[in-house]
Amino acid sequence: MSGRKLPGLITALASAAIMLTCLPATANATTDPSTGPAAGAAAAQPAARHQDADLTLEVGGPPKTFSWPPDQKNYPPQQVSVTAPPYTRITALDLHCTQGHQCPVKIAPDGRSATGDFTVSWTFTDAIEVTLQATDDAPQQGGTFEGSITFGDQTRTITVTILARTQPAVTACRKALDQLQVREGMCFWPQQDFQGQIVVRPRPSGTDTCGTISPAKSAVNLTRETRLLYAFTGCEQANFIAQVEPNEGRSQFGPDTSAQSWR
């Protein structure tokens, strides 16, 4: 069983819980930083709204790039302005000035905004790219936030989903498995954000049985397969609530939702 798994037949086998204690790292949430208005010349008419695009970032994770694809049209000199979504910062703005033109770019010291100028008429033949990174003050539970990128009368929303800080939990799970001298398994926590007492369930890849766990609201998967979580015992398809990809963690499964079985 590899790749994306689908809920399957109920199996009544349950794994015995092995209890270990760890103190997961926490992060303090702060209020939203000021986003400020987008820079650039005012549009002559209401901005045209394009289809939104999503970008997923993890607190403490690497930057990722949002791309506005080219439309092959000709444009006069104008400014591109970017407002970063809350809890993110702009690390790069690339206008891909490949036509021998000068396109100066300025990024605010706090990374909250950026501008780039096409100083002569230009043809939109290469993507405009904005690179963003989640800031350390992002809420520990993550969330979805919006920024924007604008040039001329066109605006596109940048919708960013920030995932919880999972790396400390992944490290804690790996240490717990190492103590048991096993390489693969899952770790569960009774509270969101990897809080509470860690419960370790060794399980090698290729094992497709249903295991029962005490109610859990956070999980780390250190097997080579996608693992599925269910709201009640028995791994019933109707009770499926979340999946956890290999070498990743989930810090919440929904409003006040707990997993009680997995496969």
Side-chain angles (χ1 to χ4, degrees):
M1 180 181 61
S2 62
R4 186 176 297 277
K5 297 166 53 184
L6 298 177
L9 188 64
I10 301 174
T11 306
L13 298 177
S15 302
I18 301 173
M19 306 298 293
L20 297 172
T21 301
C22 75
L23 296 175
T26 59
N28 295 325
T30 61
T31 57
D32 286 8
S34 174
T35 58
Q45 56 185 342
R49 186 65 170 257
H50 290 252
Q51 181 180 359
D52 293 350
D54 293 330
L55 199 66
T56 300
L57 302 172
E58 182 176 341
V59 179
K64 292 185 179 180
T65 299
F66 169 89
S67 180
W68 188 328
D71 59 14
Q72 310 301 323
K73 295 181 179 180
N74 298 321
Y75 292 92
Q78 59 191 277
Q79 186 174 83
V80 175
S81 61
V82 184
T83 299
Y87 304 113
T88 70
R89 64 185 183 90
I90 300 166
T91 62
L93 172 60
D94 193 344
L95 304 185
H96 285 110
C97 244
T98 59
Q99 303 169 34
H101 303 156
Q102 295 297 318
C103 301
V105 169
K106 295 181 181 179
I107 300 177
D110 61 1
R112 295 291 309 129
S113 62
T115 59
D117 290 288
F118 289 99
T119 57
V120 297
S121 297
W122 58 289
T123 304
F124 195 180
T125 57
D126 296 282
I128 296 173
E129 295 182 328
V130 182
T131 303
L132 297 165
Q133 187 172 33
T135 55
D136 290 337
D137 63 346
Q140 172 63 24
Q141 70 274 16
T144 300
F145 309 94
E146 289 189 350
S148 65
I149 178 171
T150 298
F151 72 85
D153 64 350
Q154 302 183 68
T155 295
R156 175 171 282 190
T157 299
I158 304 176
T159 303
V160 170
T161 297
I162 298 179
L163 303 180
R165 190 191 306 266
T166 60
Q167 192 57 45
V170 172
T171 300
C173 186
R174 171 51 60 202
K175 290 181 179 178
L177 288 170
D178 288 344
Q179 289 180 16
L180 299 175
Q181 297 183 342
V182 294
R183 293 302 303 163
E184 293 188 78
M186 287 196 70
C187 298
F188 300 95
W189 287 260
Q191 302 172 27
Q192 293 183 353
D193 305 329
F194 310 103
Q195 300 296 310
Q197 191 173 49
I198 185 175
V199 177
V200 185
R201 294 296 176 89
R203 174 172 291 184
S205 296
T207 306
D208 189 20
T209 57
C210 181
T212 300
I213 54 175
S214 299
K217 294 185 177 181
S218 301
V220 166
N221 175 14
L222 292 183
T223 73
R224 289 170 289 170
E225 300 162 332
T226 301
R227 296 296 179 176
L228 308 178
L229 306 179
Y230 303 82
F232 300 98
T233 59
C235 298
E236 293 276 5
Q237 180 173 351
N239 298 326
F240 171 77
I241 58 173
Q243 65 186 41
V244 188
E245 301 299 329
N247 300 309
E248 292 185 355
R250 289 287 300 270
S251 64
Q252 54 185 340
F253 311 136
D256 200 28
T257 301
S258 298
Q260 298 187 46
S261 60
W262 69 293
R263 66 184 314 150

